C-alpha cells in the first residue's frame, strides 16, 4: 500500500514554468483544512465534463471516493476557481450529503504572499 501512496503523490502538472507534484502541494499546504459548504462551492465552480461521456465510470469513481481526504481548491482574486484534486470526492459529498453538507478542503490561495511563485505561475 505504501508504494501506491507514493505513486499517487507523484501525480504532476507540467508547463513551461516547470513541474509540480500533488505531493509537493500537500506538503506545502500542511495539515490545516477548512469545512466548505458543498452547494455554495459547486455554484462558484465551472461545470466539468464527465469523463469524456463515460458516465458509468465517473459514477463508479465517485462512489468509491473517500471523503476522509480533503479536496484541494485553487483560490484566486478572492474566489474559488477550481478543484485541483478531489472532483470525485466533491461530487460524492453533493450526491450523498446534499447541497447543505460540508467537505474538508485545503486551499491553494494564489493571492497569498507565502504561496510559492511556481504555484502562482502554474495554476493562475
Amino acid at each position: 500500500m505504501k508504494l501506491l501512496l507514493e505513486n499517487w503523490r507523484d501525480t504532476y502538472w507540467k508547463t513551461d514554468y516547470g513541474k509540480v507534484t500533488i505531493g509537493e502541494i500537500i506538503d506545502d499546504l500542511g495539515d490545516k483544512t477548512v469545512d466548505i459548504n458543498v452547494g455554495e462551492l459547486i455554484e462558484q465552480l465551472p461545470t466539468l465534463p464527465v469523463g469524456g461521456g463515460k458516465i458509468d465510470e465517473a459514477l463508479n469513481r465517485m462512489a468509491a471516493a473517500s471523503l476522509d481526504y480533503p479536496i484541494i481548491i485553487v483560490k484566486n482574486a478572492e474566489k474559488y476557481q477550481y478543484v485541483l484534486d478531489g472532483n470525485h470526492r466533491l461530487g460524492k459529498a453533493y450526491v450523498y450529503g446534499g447541497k447543505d453538507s460540508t467537505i474538508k478542503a485545503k486551499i491553494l490561495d494564489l493571492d497569498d504572499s507565502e504561496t510559492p511563485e511556481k504555484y502562482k505561475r502554474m495554476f493562475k
Side-chain angles (χ1 to χ4, degrees):
M1 184 67 167
K2 186 175 180 182
L3 180 59
L4 179 62
L5 180 61
E6 289 173 357
N7 288 338
W8 174 82
R9 289 180 55 86
D10 292 338
T11 299
Y12 66 89
W13 295 264
K14 187 174 181 180
T15 69
D16 293 341
Y17 299 116
K19 177 179 168 182
V20 174
T21 68
I22 191 71
E24 289 176 80
I25 294 169
I26 289 170
D27 291 345
D28 286 343
L29 291 176
D31 294 330
K32 181 182 175 189
T33 62
V34 295
D35 289 326
I36 295 183
N37 177 281
V38 169
E40 290 175 12
L41 177 59
I42 287 175
E43 285 178 13
Q44 289 184 45
L45 300 176
T47 303
L48 295 175
V50 181
K54 299 177 184 174
I55 197 88
D56 290 340
E57 182 179 322
L59 290 172
N60 288 338
R61 287 189 65 188
M62 187 176 65
S66 174
L67 297 177
D68 293 336
Y69 303 98
I71 64 175
I72 299 174
I73 305 169
V74 173
K75 184 178 181 181
N76 186 34
E78 301 298 319
K79 293 183 182 180
Y80 297 126
Q81 301 294 314
Y82 56 93
V83 176
L84 185 64
D85 180 62
N87 282 298
H88 291 98
R89 282 172 271 158
L90 178 58
K92 181 175 187 171
Y94 182 76
V95 169
Y96 291 96
K99 68 179 183 176
D100 294 326
S101 64
T102 60
I103 190 166
K104 295 239 180 270
K106 294 183 179 202
I107 309 300
L108 179 57
D109 188 347
L110 302 180
D111 296 323
D112 188 325
S113 62
E114 294 188 24
T115 298
E117 283 300 316
K118 66 181 177 179
Y119 298 162
K120 292 178 181 184
R121 290 190 306 266
M122 179 84 57
F123 299 116
K124 260 194 180 173

